[in-house]
PDB file of all heavy atoms in Angstrom:
ATOM      1  N   ALA A1288    -103.521  53.081 -39.443  1.00  0.00           N
ATOM      2  CA  ALA A1288    -104.824  52.765 -38.865  1.00  0.00           C
ATOM      3  C   ALA A1288    -105.521  51.591 -39.672  1.00  0.00           C
ATOM      4  O   ALA A1288    -106.054  50.711 -39.058  1.00  0.00           O
ATOM      5  CB  ALA A1288    -105.689  53.973 -38.826  1.00  0.00           C
ATOM      6  N   GLY A1289    -105.438  51.660 -40.988  1.00  0.00           N
ATOM      7  CA  GLY A1289    -106.034  50.648 -41.808  1.00  0.00           C
ATOM      8  C   GLY A1289    -105.382  49.340 -41.514  1.00  0.00           C
ATOM      9  O   GLY A1289    -106.118  48.292 -41.485  1.00  0.00           O
ATOM     10  N   ARG A1290    -104.125  49.232 -41.430  1.00  0.00           N
ATOM     11  CA  ARG A1290    -103.426  48.017 -41.131  1.00  0.00           C
ATOM     12  C   ARG A1290    -103.755  47.402 -39.788  1.00  0.00           C
ATOM     13  O   ARG A1290    -104.001  46.300 -39.638  1.00  0.00           O
ATOM     14  CB  ARG A1290    -101.888  48.267 -41.221  1.00  0.00           C
ATOM     15  CG  ARG A1290    -101.113  47.026 -40.983  1.00  0.00           C
ATOM     16  CD  ARG A1290     -99.600  47.420 -41.098  1.00  0.00           C
ATOM     17  NE  ARG A1290     -98.750  46.239 -40.727  1.00  0.00           N
ATOM     18  CZ  ARG A1290     -97.925  45.732 -41.546  1.00  0.00           C
ATOM     19  NH1 ARG A1290     -97.687  46.255 -42.845  1.00  0.00           N
ATOM     20  NH2 ARG A1290     -97.248  44.653 -41.286  1.00  0.00           N
ATOM     21  N   GLU A1291    -103.841  48.359 -38.802  1.00  0.00           N
ATOM     22  CA  GLU A1291    -104.143  47.850 -37.358  1.00  0.00           C
ATOM     23  C   GLU A1291    -105.592  47.380 -37.298  1.00  0.00           C
ATOM     24  O   GLU A1291    -105.790  46.361 -36.639  1.00  0.00           O
ATOM     25  CB  GLU A1291    -103.981  49.013 -36.407  1.00  0.00           C
ATOM     26  CG  GLU A1291    -102.591  49.444 -36.049  1.00  0.00           C
ATOM     27  CD  GLU A1291    -102.527  50.565 -35.124  1.00  0.00           C
ATOM     28  OE1 GLU A1291    -103.604  51.126 -34.706  1.00  0.00           O
ATOM     29  OE2 GLU A1291    -101.403  51.051 -34.727  1.00  0.00           O
ATOM     30  N   LEU A1292    -106.484  48.019 -38.024  1.00  0.00           N
ATOM     31  CA  LEU A1292    -107.828  47.676 -37.955  1.00  0.00           C
ATOM     32  C   LEU A1292    -108.293  46.567 -38.948  1.00  0.00           C
ATOM     33  O   LEU A1292    -109.381  46.020 -38.932  1.00  0.00           O
ATOM     34  CB  LEU A1292    -108.759  48.893 -38.061  1.00  0.00           C
ATOM     35  CG  LEU A1292    -108.569  49.971 -37.062  1.00  0.00           C
ATOM     36  CD1 LEU A1292    -109.381  51.249 -37.397  1.00  0.00           C
ATOM     37  CD2 LEU A1292    -108.999  49.493 -35.649  1.00  0.00           C
ATOM     38  N   GLY A1293    -107.426  46.382 -39.913  1.00  0.00           N
ATOM     39  CA  GLY A1293    -107.748  45.444 -40.994  1.00  0.00           C
ATOM     40  C   GLY A1293    -108.814  45.965 -41.877  1.00  0.00           C
ATOM     41  O   GLY A1293    -109.691  45.143 -42.371  1.00  0.00           O
ATOM     42  N   LEU A1294    -108.871  47.243 -42.113  1.00  0.00           N
ATOM     43  CA  LEU A1294    -109.932  47.881 -42.987  1.00  0.00           C
ATOM     44  C   LEU A1294    -109.287  48.567 -44.097  1.00  0.00           C
ATOM     45  O   LEU A1294    -108.216  48.960 -44.167  1.00  0.00           O
ATOM     46  CB  LEU A1294    -110.696  48.847 -42.039  1.00  0.00           C
ATOM     47  CG  LEU A1294    -111.443  48.268 -40.862  1.00  0.00           C
ATOM     48  CD1 LEU A1294    -111.984  49.469 -40.004  1.00  0.00           C
ATOM     49  CD2 LEU A1294    -112.651  47.371 -41.389  1.00  0.00           C
ATOM     50  N   PRO A1295    -110.108  48.733 -45.156  1.00  0.00           N
ATOM     51  CA  PRO A1295    -109.591  49.441 -46.337  1.00  0.00           C
ATOM     52  C   PRO A1295    -109.451  50.896 -46.108  1.00  0.00           C
ATOM     53  O   PRO A1295    -110.257  51.352 -45.248  1.00  0.00           O
ATOM     54  CB  PRO A1295    -110.653  49.176 -47.431  1.00  0.00           C
ATOM     55  CG  PRO A1295    -111.902  48.816 -46.708  1.00  0.00           C
ATOM     56  CD  PRO A1295    -111.498  48.161 -45.366  1.00  0.00           C
ATOM     57  N   ILE A1296    -108.509  51.566 -46.754  1.00  0.00           N
ATOM     58  CA  ILE A1296    -108.204  52.995 -46.356  1.00  0.00           C
ATOM     59  C   ILE A1296    -108.652  53.905 -47.564  1.00  0.00           C
ATOM     60  O   ILE A1296    -108.639  55.086 -47.370  1.00  0.00           O
ATOM     61  CB  ILE A1296    -106.735  53.159 -46.115  1.00  0.00           C
ATOM     62  CG1 ILE A1296    -105.836  52.881 -47.384  1.00  0.00           C
ATOM     63  CG2 ILE A1296    -106.275  52.410 -45.015  1.00  0.00           C
ATOM     64  CD1 ILE A1296    -104.419  53.294 -47.276  1.00  0.00           C
ATOM     65  N   ASP A1297    -109.119  53.447 -48.675  1.00  0.00           N
ATOM     66  CA  ASP A1297    -109.473  54.263 -49.784  1.00  0.00           C
ATOM     67  C   ASP A1297    -110.441  55.427 -49.489  1.00  0.00           C
ATOM     68  O   ASP A1297    -110.235  56.551 -49.734  1.00  0.00           O
ATOM     69  CB  ASP A1297    -109.944  53.477 -50.950  1.00  0.00           C
ATOM     70  CG  ASP A1297    -108.812  52.544 -51.560  1.00  0.00           C
ATOM     71  OD1 ASP A1297    -107.729  52.922 -51.347  1.00  0.00           O
ATOM     72  OD2 ASP A1297    -109.184  51.561 -52.152  1.00  0.00           O
ATOM     73  N   ASP A1298    -111.545  54.957 -48.821  1.00  0.00           N
ATOM     74  CA  ASP A1298    -112.620  55.959 -48.632  1.00  0.00           C
ATOM     75  C   ASP A1298    -112.138  56.961 -47.477  1.00  0.00           C
ATOM     76  O   ASP A1298    -112.503  58.124 -47.505  1.00  0.00           O
ATOM     77  CB  ASP A1298    -113.862  55.281 -48.085  1.00  0.00           C
ATOM     78  CG  ASP A1298    -114.685  54.715 -49.247  1.00  0.00           C
ATOM     79  OD1 ASP A1298    -114.555  55.111 -50.471  1.00  0.00           O
ATOM     80  OD2 ASP A1298    -115.479  53.827 -49.045  1.00  0.00           O
ATOM     81  N   ALA A1299    -111.401  56.416 -46.556  1.00  0.00           N
ATOM     82  CA  ALA A1299    -110.875  57.338 -45.496  1.00  0.00           C
ATOM     83  C   ALA A1299    -109.928  58.410 -46.169  1.00  0.00           C
ATOM     84  O   ALA A1299    -110.008  59.603 -45.858  1.00  0.00           O
ATOM     85  CB  ALA A1299    -110.082  56.586 -44.411  1.00  0.00           C
ATOM     86  N   ASN A1300    -109.041  57.918 -47.035  1.00  0.00           N
ATOM     87  CA  ASN A1300    -108.136  58.854 -47.686  1.00  0.00           C
ATOM     88  C   ASN A1300    -108.937  59.854 -48.563  1.00  0.00           C
ATOM     89  O   ASN A1300    -108.692  61.122 -48.562  1.00  0.00           O
ATOM     90  CB  ASN A1300    -107.203  58.103 -48.531  1.00  0.00           C
ATOM     91  CG  ASN A1300    -106.082  59.002 -49.222  1.00  0.00           C
ATOM     92  OD1 ASN A1300    -105.666  59.941 -48.634  1.00  0.00           O
ATOM     93  ND2 ASN A1300    -105.766  58.648 -50.432  1.00  0.00           N
ATOM     94  N   ARG A1301    -109.917  59.424 -49.263  1.00  0.00           N
ATOM     95  CA  ARG A1301    -110.684  60.303 -50.070  1.00  0.00           C
ATOM     96  C   ARG A1301    -111.500  61.335 -49.270  1.00  0.00           C
ATOM     97  O   ARG A1301    -111.624  62.494 -49.711  1.00  0.00           O
ATOM     98  CB  ARG A1301    -111.686  59.443 -50.961  1.00  0.00           C
ATOM     99  CG  ARG A1301    -110.915  58.568 -51.960  1.00  0.00           C
ATOM    100  CD  ARG A1301    -111.789  57.863 -52.923  1.00  0.00           C
ATOM    101  NE  ARG A1301    -112.204  58.749 -53.958  1.00  0.00           N
ATOM    102  CZ  ARG A1301    -113.110  58.647 -54.772  1.00  0.00           C
ATOM    103  NH1 ARG A1301    -113.818  57.459 -54.743  1.00  0.00           N
ATOM    104  NH2 ARG A1301    -113.415  59.498 -55.761  1.00  0.00           N
ATOM    105  N   ALA A1302    -111.976  60.917 -48.168  1.00  0.00           N
ATOM    106  CA  ALA A1302    -112.758  61.864 -47.356  1.00  0.00           C
ATOM    107  C   ALA A1302    -111.842  62.961 -46.742  1.00  0.00           C
ATOM    108  O   ALA A1302    -112.199  64.110 -46.730  1.00  0.00           O
ATOM    109  CB  ALA A1302    -113.450  61.128 -46.183  1.00  0.00           C
ATOM    110  N   LEU A1303    -110.615  62.586 -46.377  1.00  0.00           N
ATOM    111  CA  LEU A1303    -109.674  63.598 -45.928  1.00  0.00           C
ATOM    112  C   LEU A1303    -109.303  64.483 -47.035  1.00  0.00           C
ATOM    113  O   LEU A1303    -109.137  65.750 -46.876  1.00  0.00           O
ATOM    114  CB  LEU A1303    -108.523  62.945 -45.223  1.00  0.00           C
ATOM    115  CG  LEU A1303    -107.506  63.861 -44.521  1.00  0.00           C
ATOM    116  CD1 LEU A1303    -108.225  64.714 -43.476  1.00  0.00           C
ATOM    117  CD2 LEU A1303    -106.264  63.068 -43.919  1.00  0.00           C
ATOM    118  N   GLU A1304    -109.003  63.834 -48.193  1.00  0.00           N
ATOM    119  CA  GLU A1304    -108.644  64.681 -49.326  1.00  0.00           C
ATOM    120  C   GLU A1304    -109.776  65.631 -49.862  1.00  0.00           C
ATOM    121  O   GLU A1304    -109.374  66.688 -50.261  1.00  0.00           O
ATOM    122  CB  GLU A1304    -108.263  63.704 -50.555  1.00  0.00           C
ATOM    123  CG  GLU A1304    -107.550  64.295 -51.678  1.00  0.00           C
ATOM    124  CD  GLU A1304    -107.131  63.307 -52.579  1.00  0.00           C
ATOM    125  OE1 GLU A1304    -105.960  62.765 -52.398  1.00  0.00           O
ATOM    126  OE2 GLU A1304    -107.772  63.005 -53.637  1.00  0.00           O
ATOM    127  N   TRP A1305    -110.980  65.204 -49.667  1.00  0.00           N
ATOM    128  CA  TRP A1305    -112.032  66.206 -49.921  1.00  0.00           C
ATOM    129  C   TRP A1305    -112.049  67.408 -49.068  1.00  0.00           C
ATOM    130  O   TRP A1305    -112.350  68.525 -49.495  1.00  0.00           O
ATOM    131  CB  TRP A1305    -113.398  65.392 -49.778  1.00  0.00           C
ATOM    132  CG  TRP A1305    -114.598  66.309 -50.315  1.00  0.00           C
ATOM    133  CD1 TRP A1305    -115.425  66.949 -49.542  1.00  0.00           C
ATOM    134  CD2 TRP A1305    -115.025  66.495 -51.667  1.00  0.00           C
ATOM    135  NE1 TRP A1305    -116.344  67.703 -50.277  1.00  0.00           N
ATOM    136  CE2 TRP A1305    -116.103  67.321 -51.669  1.00  0.00           C
ATOM    137  CE3 TRP A1305    -114.435  65.995 -52.848  1.00  0.00           C
ATOM    138  CZ2 TRP A1305    -116.760  67.776 -52.801  1.00  0.00           C
ATOM    139  CZ3 TRP A1305    -115.219  66.396 -54.007  1.00  0.00           C
ATOM    140  CH2 TRP A1305    -116.236  67.264 -53.966  1.00  0.00           C
ATOM    141  N   GLN A1306    -111.598  67.256 -47.813  1.00  0.00           N
ATOM    142  CA  GLN A1306    -111.520  68.307 -46.903  1.00  0.00           C
ATOM    143  C   GLN A1306    -110.283  69.309 -47.238  1.00  0.00           C
ATOM    144  O   GLN A1306    -110.427  70.473 -47.074  1.00  0.00           O
ATOM    145  CB  GLN A1306    -111.479  67.878 -45.426  1.00  0.00           C
ATOM    146  CG  GLN A1306    -112.757  67.063 -45.007  1.00  0.00           C
ATOM    147  CD  GLN A1306    -114.048  67.770 -45.221  1.00  0.00           C
ATOM    148  OE1 GLN A1306    -114.176  69.039 -44.943  1.00  0.00           O
ATOM    149  NE2 GLN A1306    -115.077  67.165 -45.785  1.00  0.00           N
ATOM    150  N   THR A1307    -109.231  68.554 -47.603  1.00  0.00           N
ATOM    151  CA  THR A1307    -107.940  69.378 -47.873  1.00  0.00           C
ATOM    152  C   THR A1307    -107.858  69.987 -49.278  1.00  0.00           C
ATOM    153  O   THR A1307    -106.991  70.761 -49.525  1.00  0.00           O
ATOM    154  CB  THR A1307    -106.837  68.479 -47.580  1.00  0.00           C
ATOM    155  OG1 THR A1307    -106.735  67.432 -48.485  1.00  0.00           O
ATOM    156  CG2 THR A1307    -106.766  67.963 -46.211  1.00  0.00           C
ATOM    157  N   ILE A1308    -108.744  69.407 -50.150  1.00  0.00           N
ATOM    158  CA  ILE A1308    -108.791  69.893 -51.538  1.00  0.00           C
ATOM    159  C   ILE A1308    -107.594  69.462 -52.494  1.00  0.00           C
ATOM    160  O   ILE A1308    -107.771  69.244 -53.619  1.00  0.00           O
ATOM    161  CB  ILE A1308    -109.027  71.434 -51.686  1.00  0.00           C
ATOM    162  CG1 ILE A1308    -110.168  71.837 -50.873  1.00  0.00           C
ATOM    163  CG2 ILE A1308    -109.075  71.809 -53.206  1.00  0.00           C
ATOM    164  CD1 ILE A1308    -110.420  73.355 -50.785  1.00  0.00           C
ATOM    165  N   ILE A1309    -106.480  69.231 -51.839  1.00  0.00           N
ATOM    166  CA  ILE A1309    -105.377  68.673 -52.720  1.00  0.00           C
ATOM    167  C   ILE A1309    -104.956  67.406 -52.072  1.00  0.00           C
ATOM    168  O   ILE A1309    -105.403  66.953 -50.962  1.00  0.00           O
ATOM    169  CB  ILE A1309    -104.126  69.657 -52.630  1.00  0.00           C
ATOM    170  CG1 ILE A1309    -103.619  69.969 -51.177  1.00  0.00           C
ATOM    171  CG2 ILE A1309    -104.503  71.019 -53.305  1.00  0.00           C
ATOM    172  CD1 ILE A1309    -102.370  70.736 -51.156  1.00  0.00           C
ATOM    173  N   PRO A1310    -104.067  66.620 -52.770  1.00  0.00           N
ATOM    174  CA  PRO A1310    -103.640  65.359 -52.213  1.00  0.00           C
ATOM    175  C   PRO A1310    -103.087  65.401 -50.717  1.00  0.00           C
ATOM    176  O   PRO A1310    -102.407  66.318 -50.448  1.00  0.00           O
ATOM    177  CB  PRO A1310    -102.548  64.802 -53.199  1.00  0.00           C
ATOM    178  CG  PRO A1310    -102.864  65.459 -54.419  1.00  0.00           C
ATOM    179  CD  PRO A1310    -103.477  66.849 -54.084  1.00  0.00           C
ATOM    180  N   VAL A1311    -103.480  64.531 -49.948  1.00  0.00           N
ATOM    181  CA  VAL A1311    -103.194  64.579 -48.483  1.00  0.00           C
ATOM    182  C   VAL A1311    -101.685  64.647 -48.263  1.00  0.00           C
ATOM    183  O   VAL A1311    -101.296  65.397 -47.363  1.00  0.00           O
ATOM    184  CB  VAL A1311    -103.829  63.412 -47.744  1.00  0.00           C
ATOM    185  CG1 VAL A1311    -103.442  63.385 -46.232  1.00  0.00           C
ATOM    186  CG2 VAL A1311    -105.384  63.411 -47.919  1.00  0.00           C
ATOM    187  N   ALA A1312    -100.957  63.882 -48.912  1.00  0.00           N
ATOM    188  CA  ALA A1312     -99.476  63.955 -48.715  1.00  0.00           C
ATOM    189  C   ALA A1312     -98.917  65.324 -49.015  1.00  0.00           C
ATOM    190  O   ALA A1312     -98.111  65.802 -48.268  1.00  0.00           O
ATOM    191  CB  ALA A1312     -98.826  62.755 -49.527  1.00  0.00           C
ATOM    192  N   ASP A1313     -99.314  65.920 -50.120  1.00  0.00           N
ATOM    193  CA  ASP A1313     -98.809  67.205 -50.454  1.00  0.00           C
ATOM    194  C   ASP A1313     -99.313  68.289 -49.434  1.00  0.00           C
ATOM    195  O   ASP A1313     -98.576  69.150 -49.087  1.00  0.00           O
ATOM    196  CB  ASP A1313     -99.311  67.676 -51.829  1.00  0.00           C
ATOM    197  CG  ASP A1313     -98.801  66.748 -52.971  1.00  0.00           C
ATOM    198  OD1 ASP A1313     -97.724  66.084 -52.674  1.00  0.00           O
ATOM    199  OD2 ASP A1313     -99.301  66.725 -54.049  1.00  0.00           O
ATOM    200  N   TRP A1314    -100.631  68.200 -48.947  1.00  0.00           N
ATOM    201  CA  TRP A1314    -101.131  69.035 -47.964  1.00  0.00           C
ATOM    202  C   TRP A1314    -100.447  68.910 -46.691  1.00  0.00           C
ATOM    203  O   TRP A1314    -100.182  69.970 -46.058  1.00  0.00           O
ATOM    204  CB  TRP A1314    -102.621  68.840 -47.932  1.00  0.00           C
ATOM    205  CG  TRP A1314    -103.353  69.698 -46.923  1.00  0.00           C
ATOM    206  CD1 TRP A1314    -103.829  70.996 -47.199  1.00  0.00           C
ATOM    207  CD2 TRP A1314    -103.681  69.381 -45.600  1.00  0.00           C
ATOM    208  NE1 TRP A1314    -104.340  71.387 -46.088  1.00  0.00           N
ATOM    209  CE2 TRP A1314    -104.335  70.567 -45.084  1.00  0.00           C
ATOM    210  CE3 TRP A1314    -103.581  68.299 -44.750  1.00  0.00           C
ATOM    211  CZ2 TRP A1314    -104.780  70.619 -43.777  1.00  0.00           C
ATOM    212  CZ3 TRP A1314    -104.000  68.401 -43.450  1.00  0.00           C
ATOM    213  CH2 TRP A1314    -104.644  69.506 -43.047  1.00  0.00           C
ATOM    214  N   ASN A1315    -100.137  67.766 -46.277  1.00  0.00           N
ATOM    215  CA  ASN A1315     -99.526  67.571 -44.942  1.00  0.00           C
ATOM    216  C   ASN A1315     -98.046  68.149 -45.056  1.00  0.00           C
ATOM    217  O   ASN A1315     -97.575  68.691 -44.003  1.00  0.00           O
ATOM    218  CB  ASN A1315     -99.502  65.963 -44.700  1.00  0.00           C
ATOM    219  CG  ASN A1315     -98.767  65.764 -43.368  1.00  0.00           C
ATOM    220  OD1 ASN A1315     -99.345  65.688 -42.301  1.00  0.00           O
ATOM    221  ND2 ASN A1315     -97.484  65.401 -43.354  1.00  0.00           N
ATOM    222  N   ASP A1316     -97.437  67.980 -46.107  1.00  0.00           N
ATOM    223  CA  ASP A1316     -96.014  68.324 -46.245  1.00  0.00           C
ATOM    224  C   ASP A1316     -95.657  69.796 -46.459  1.00  0.00           C
ATOM    225  O   ASP A1316     -94.624  70.297 -46.578  1.00  0.00           O
ATOM    226  CB  ASP A1316     -95.287  67.586 -47.301  1.00  0.00           C
ATOM    227  CG  ASP A1316     -95.171  66.089 -46.874  1.00  0.00           C
ATOM    228  OD1 ASP A1316     -95.329  65.784 -45.668  1.00  0.00           O
ATOM    229  OD2 ASP A1316     -94.877  65.261 -47.733  1.00  0.00           O
ATOM    230  N   ASP A1317     -96.844  70.616 -46.674  1.00  0.00           N
ATOM    231  CA  ASP A1317     -96.720  72.067 -46.905  1.00  0.00           C
ATOM    232  C   ASP A1317     -95.900  72.621 -45.733  1.00  0.00           C
ATOM    233  O   ASP A1317     -96.091  72.442 -44.614  1.00  0.00           O
ATOM    234  CB  ASP A1317     -98.077  72.685 -46.898  1.00  0.00           C
ATOM    235  CG  ASP A1317     -98.053  74.135 -47.358  1.00  0.00           C
ATOM    236  OD1 ASP A1317     -97.491  74.963 -46.474  1.00  0.00           O
ATOM    237  OD2 ASP A1317     -98.302  74.504 -48.512  1.00  0.00           O
ATOM    238  N   ARG A1318     -94.976  73.481 -46.063  1.00  0.00           N
ATOM    239  CA  ARG A1318     -94.022  74.036 -44.977  1.00  0.00           C
ATOM    240  C   ARG A1318     -94.746  74.888 -43.993  1.00  0.00           C
ATOM    241  O   ARG A1318     -94.334  75.050 -42.897  1.00  0.00           O
ATOM    242  CB  ARG A1318     -92.918  74.739 -45.586  1.00  0.00           C
ATOM    243  CG  ARG A1318     -93.175  76.022 -46.393  1.00  0.00           C
ATOM    244  CD  ARG A1318     -91.949  76.560 -46.956  1.00  0.00           C
ATOM    245  NE  ARG A1318     -92.289  77.685 -47.824  1.00  0.00           N
ATOM    246  CZ  ARG A1318     -92.446  78.989 -47.437  1.00  0.00           C
ATOM    247  NH1 ARG A1318     -92.236  79.218 -46.120  1.00  0.00           N
ATOM    248  NH2 ARG A1318     -92.683  79.830 -48.231  1.00  0.00           N
ATOM    249  N   THR A1319     -95.953  75.467 -44.321  1.00  0.00           N
ATOM    250  CA  THR A1319     -96.684  76.287 -43.460  1.00  0.00           C
ATOM    251  C   THR A1319     -97.814  75.537 -42.687  1.00  0.00           C
ATOM    252  O   THR A1319     -98.497  76.093 -41.877  1.00  0.00           O
ATOM    253  CB  THR A1319     -97.389  77.418 -44.160  1.00  0.00           C
ATOM    254  OG1 THR A1319     -98.263  76.951 -45.052  1.00  0.00           O
ATOM    255  CG2 THR A1319     -96.278  78.304 -44.942  1.00  0.00           C
ATOM    256  N   ARG A1320     -97.955  74.242 -42.913  1.00  0.00           N
ATOM    257  CA  ARG A1320     -98.962  73.351 -42.336  1.00  0.00           C
ATOM    258  C   ARG A1320     -98.746  73.278 -40.751  1.00  0.00           C
ATOM    259  O   ARG A1320     -97.532  73.080 -40.386  1.00  0.00           O
ATOM    260  CB  ARG A1320     -99.024  72.010 -42.835  1.00  0.00           C
ATOM    261  CG  ARG A1320    -100.120  71.119 -42.386  1.00  0.00           C
ATOM    262  CD  ARG A1320    -101.458  71.639 -42.988  1.00  0.00           C
ATOM    263  NE  ARG A1320    -101.428  71.765 -44.405  1.00  0.00           N
ATOM    264  CZ  ARG A1320    -101.794  72.944 -45.058  1.00  0.00           C
ATOM    265  NH1 ARG A1320    -102.363  73.896 -44.251  1.00  0.00           N
ATOM    266  NH2 ARG A1320    -101.715  73.114 -46.311  1.00  0.00           N
ATOM    267  N   THR A1321     -99.712  73.416 -39.991  1.00  0.00           N
ATOM    268  CA  THR A1321     -99.593  73.199 -38.504  1.00  0.00           C
ATOM    269  C   THR A1321    -100.346  71.973 -37.976  1.00  0.00           C
ATOM    270  O   THR A1321    -101.150  71.388 -38.678  1.00  0.00           O
ATOM    271  CB  THR A1321    -100.261  74.467 -37.752  1.00  0.00           C
ATOM    272  OG1 THR A1321    -101.577  74.509 -37.974  1.00  0.00           O
ATOM    273  CG2 THR A1321     -99.527  75.711 -38.271  1.00  0.00           C
ATOM    274  N   HIS A1322     -99.950  71.508 -36.878  1.00  0.00           N
ATOM    275  CA  HIS A1322    -100.534  70.275 -36.330  1.00  0.00           C
ATOM    276  C   HIS A1322    -102.049  70.546 -36.128  1.00  0.00           C
ATOM    277  O   HIS A1322    -102.816  69.668 -36.285  1.00  0.00           O
ATOM    278  CB  HIS A1322     -99.832  69.905 -34.986  1.00  0.00           C
ATOM    279  CG  HIS A1322    -100.433  68.726 -34.322  1.00  0.00           C
ATOM    280  ND1 HIS A1322    -101.233  68.990 -33.252  1.00  0.00           N
ATOM    281  CD2 HIS A1322    -100.406  67.448 -34.600  1.00  0.00           C
ATOM    282  CE1 HIS A1322    -101.719  67.735 -32.870  1.00  0.00           C
ATOM    283  NE2 HIS A1322    -101.181  66.858 -33.626  1.00  0.00           N
ATOM    284  N   THR A1323    -102.383  71.630 -35.623  1.00  0.00           N
ATOM    285  CA  THR A1323    -103.775  72.057 -35.477  1.00  0.00           C
ATOM    286  C   THR A1323    -104.569  71.859 -36.730  1.00  0.00           C
ATOM    287  O   THR A1323    -105.728  71.281 -36.657  1.00  0.00           O
ATOM    288  CB  THR A1323    -103.959  73.477 -34.923  1.00  0.00           C
ATOM    289  OG1 THR A1323    -103.192  73.547 -33.662  1.00  0.00           O
ATOM    290  CG2 THR A1323    -105.415  73.833 -34.596  1.00  0.00           C
ATOM    291  N   GLU A1324    -104.114  72.258 -37.840  1.00  0.00           N
ATOM    292  CA  GLU A1324    -104.826  72.040 -39.055  1.00  0.00           C
ATOM    293  C   GLU A1324    -105.060  70.583 -39.399  1.00  0.00           C
ATOM    294  O   GLU A1324    -106.112  70.193 -39.974  1.00  0.00           O
ATOM    295  CB  GLU A1324    -104.053  72.788 -40.243  1.00  0.00           C
ATOM    296  CG  GLU A1324    -104.094  74.290 -40.081  1.00  0.00           C
ATOM    297  CD  GLU A1324    -103.186  74.976 -41.024  1.00  0.00           C
ATOM    298  OE1 GLU A1324    -102.026  74.499 -41.261  1.00  0.00           O
ATOM    299  OE2 GLU A1324    -103.572  75.836 -41.773  1.00  0.00           O
ATOM    300  N   ILE A1325    -104.028  69.785 -39.136  1.00  0.00           N
ATOM    301  CA  ILE A1325    -104.103  68.353 -39.374  1.00  0.00           C
ATOM    302  C   ILE A1325    -105.255  67.736 -38.536  1.00  0.00           C
ATOM    303  O   ILE A1325    -106.107  67.059 -39.066  1.00  0.00           O
ATOM    304  CB  ILE A1325    -102.799  67.664 -38.953  1.00  0.00           C
ATOM    305  CG1 ILE A1325    -101.679  68.148 -39.794  1.00  0.00           C
ATOM    306  CG2 ILE A1325    -102.906  66.106 -39.013  1.00  0.00           C
ATOM    307  CD1 ILE A1325    -101.736  67.825 -41.304  1.00  0.00           C
TER     308      ILE A1325
END
């Protein structure tokens, strides 16, 4: 999305990470994670 829009992604990543409490990549890859949670 950042590449398509030509916008920085740092604040977007930090905002999502604040909601997930752990790094987004680790949270996404959790084996129990569902699409609805994303």
Side-chain angles (χ1 to χ4, degrees):
R1290 181 182 176 120
E1291 286 178 1
L1292 300 172
L1294 296 171
I1296 63 168
D1297 294 336
D1298 284 339
N1300 183 36
R1301 294 183 81 190
L1303 187 60
E1304 193 170 277
W1305 186 260
Q1306 300 304 314
T1307 62
I1308 303 173
I1309 62 174
V1311 175
D1313 296 339
W1314 181 80
N1315 181 87
D1316 292 346
D1317 186 287
R1318 63 183 176 86
T1319 62
R1320 189 71 50 230
T1321 65
H1322 177 258
T1323 303
E1324 292 172 313
I1325 298 294

